[in-house]
Amino acid sequence: MNKEIKKTAVIGMGALGMLYASQINSAFGPDSVYFLADQKRIGRYQKMTFTINGTPWSFPMKAPEHACPADLIIIAVKYNALPSALDIMASSVGPDTTIISVMNGIDSEAIAGRRYGDEKVLYCIAQGMDAMKFGTDLSYTRSGELCLGTRIKGQENRLNALTRYFDSARISYRTESDFSKRLWGKFMLNVGINQTCMAYEVNYSQALTPGTRYDTLVGAMREVILLAQKEGITLTEGDLEAYIELLKTLSPEGVPSMRQDGIAHRPSEVEMFSGTVRRLAAKHGLSVPVNDMLYEKIKDMESNYIS
């Protein structure tokens, strides 16, 4: 039986980091969870007032030099911040630490596993939430769920300890047996909706309205289906339709994380989405014109940001 989870460290004070930290805090109290960050960032954060759905929140924060091994680490950073996140969490990783990533993409678990041991890293996908964070304010109407699964043999006890913890914290989750398909399915969804909303500067409702934007959304997702099949993952048109239906349950006026980055003129995760699609397509000799177009359009938008 794996060690029970009592202390959680979260890296990344974005929408999902704040969402899960607040749920854990509400269930077990402020001593149960803290944010890991460097001292400079902590100093900046301590001067700010964070809100969740309009209610002020404060969270304990620790610099790496003051952190001890945590029972659970939640990585909730942007893709380009993953290397520094792995550095920051070094002092919080012990022999029994379980690590999950609520990042988008298909490779953050493998990257974390190479650094800290595959046995510590479980599969995790965050989906179905409409959380939006602008500045220090987080808002959401749907908290969604986490999809969890084992990556290698021998992780069953670790997964069981995590699900017991989430049961106690009342964090919604489901466990998945065919996790590779789930991972690629969520990647397909994000390649479509994140990039379409950013490239056309629209919300969920506008992206789902028949026309050019919707055609782009579906076209980008269909290119991932073909790519997944080349990678040995069976994604189908039925999976695409199911994810479109999921999008229809989100707040119509909401926007995904990449559009939030665009509004704030922050670097986006385009390399993780169409960048990855293009690299894998080149490996398999596939043509991905929709993702090529999105990549070039988003890169051009970012090049025009005024720093």
Side-chain angles (χ1 to χ4, degrees):
M1 183 170 173
N2 216 67
K3 179 182 174 184
E4 292 301 310
I5 296 171
K6 294 182 179 177
K7 181 72 78 173
T8 297
V10 181
I11 308 175
M13 221 165 167
L16 294 187
M18 284 180 62
L19 174 65
Y20 291 113
S22 65
Q23 289 181 318
I24 293 167
N25 185 311
S26 295
F28 305 121
D31 292 339
S32 63
V33 59
Y34 62 91
F35 279 95
L36 265 174
D38 60 62
Q39 199 62 58
K40 184 178 178 182
R41 191 179 294 263
I42 289 174
R44 195 164 70 245
Y45 284 167
Q46 287 176 335
K47 297 174 185 174
M48 301 175 177
T49 300
F50 292 87
T51 69
I52 300 178
N53 285 338
T55 301
W57 273 81
S58 61
F59 299 96
M61 300 180 193
K62 290 186 182 181
E65 56 268 28
H66 300 133
C68 297
D71 302 316
L72 173 66
I73 296 177
I74 300 174
I75 303 173
V77 299
K78 296 291 184 182
Y79 190 71
N80 52 13
L82 180 57
S84 61
L86 294 176
D87 290 340
I88 284 172
M89 63 191 257
S91 58
S92 292
V93 179
D96 298 316
T97 302
T98 291
I99 300 168
I100 60 172
S101 162
V102 294
M103 295 170 57
N104 292 319
I106 54 176
D107 60 358
S108 62
E109 284 91 355
I111 294 169
R114 285 196 294 271
R115 178 73 175 268
Y116 290 111
D118 283 324
E119 75 283 354
K120 294 183 179 69
V121 186
L122 293 170
Y123 270 135
C124 178
I125 292 173
Q127 66 177 30
M129 61 281 298
D130 57 8
M132 295 191 297
K133 180 171 175 278
F134 293 104
T136 57
D137 304 318
L138 169 66
S139 61
Y140 66 91
T141 62
R142 288 173 55 90
S143 57
E145 67 177 4
L146 295 175
C147 298
L148 307 169
T150 57
R151 296 178 58 243
I152 60 173
K153 288 183 179 180
Q155 289 186 308
E156 290 74 19
N157 288 341
R158 197 177 285 269
L159 177 61
N160 289 338
L162 183 61
T163 58
R164 287 194 299 272
Y165 181 65
F166 284 160
D167 283 336
S168 298
R170 297 185 178 178
I171 291 175
S172 296
Y173 70 86
R174 70 167 72 176
T175 55
E176 294 281 345
S177 53
D178 186 0
F179 213 94
S180 293
K181 179 174 180 177
R182 173 66 67 176
L183 201 64
W184 271 86
K186 179 70 188 302
F187 179 64
M188 170 181 70
L189 172 64
N190 279 319
V191 163
I193 192 62
N194 264 282
Q195 297 191 122
T196 298
C197 286
M198 179 166 178
Y200 292 99
E201 301 180 314
V202 296
N203 58 30
Y204 291 126
S205 175
Q206 293 166 324
L208 290 167
T209 301
T212 300
R213 294 172 298 213
Y214 182 75
D215 291 344
T216 300
L217 164 64
V218 173
M221 292 174 73
R222 284 189 174 134
E223 289 177 357
V224 175
I225 289 178
L226 295 176
L227 195 57
Q229 290 170 352
K230 291 287 188 181
E231 290 280 312
I233 309 297
T234 309
L235 280 181
T236 66
E237 191 74 13
D239 295 315
L240 184 153
E241 291 167 2
Y243 278 106
I244 293 291
E245 290 304 310
L246 175 66
L247 287 176
K248 292 177 182 177
T249 70
L250 302 180
S251 175
E253 301 302 315
V255 295
S257 60
M258 204 165 171
R259 172 66 177 132
Q260 294 172 47
D261 291 336
I263 292 169
H265 285 192
R266 293 188 298 257
S268 77
E269 295 181 306
V270 66
E271 291 294 346
M272 185 172 64
F273 295 137
S274 52
T276 298
V277 169
R278 284 154 56 96
R279 286 189 291 273
L280 289 174
K283 181 178 86 171
H284 293 291
L286 283 178
S287 172
V288 285
V290 180
N291 275 282
D292 284 340
M293 179 274 291
L294 286 167
Y295 183 85
E296 290 160 9
K297 183 173 176 61
I298 292 167
K299 281 289 193 181
D300 182 62
M301 291 171 72
E302 292 182 342
S303 72
N304 289 312
Y305 293 164
I306 299 173
S307 58

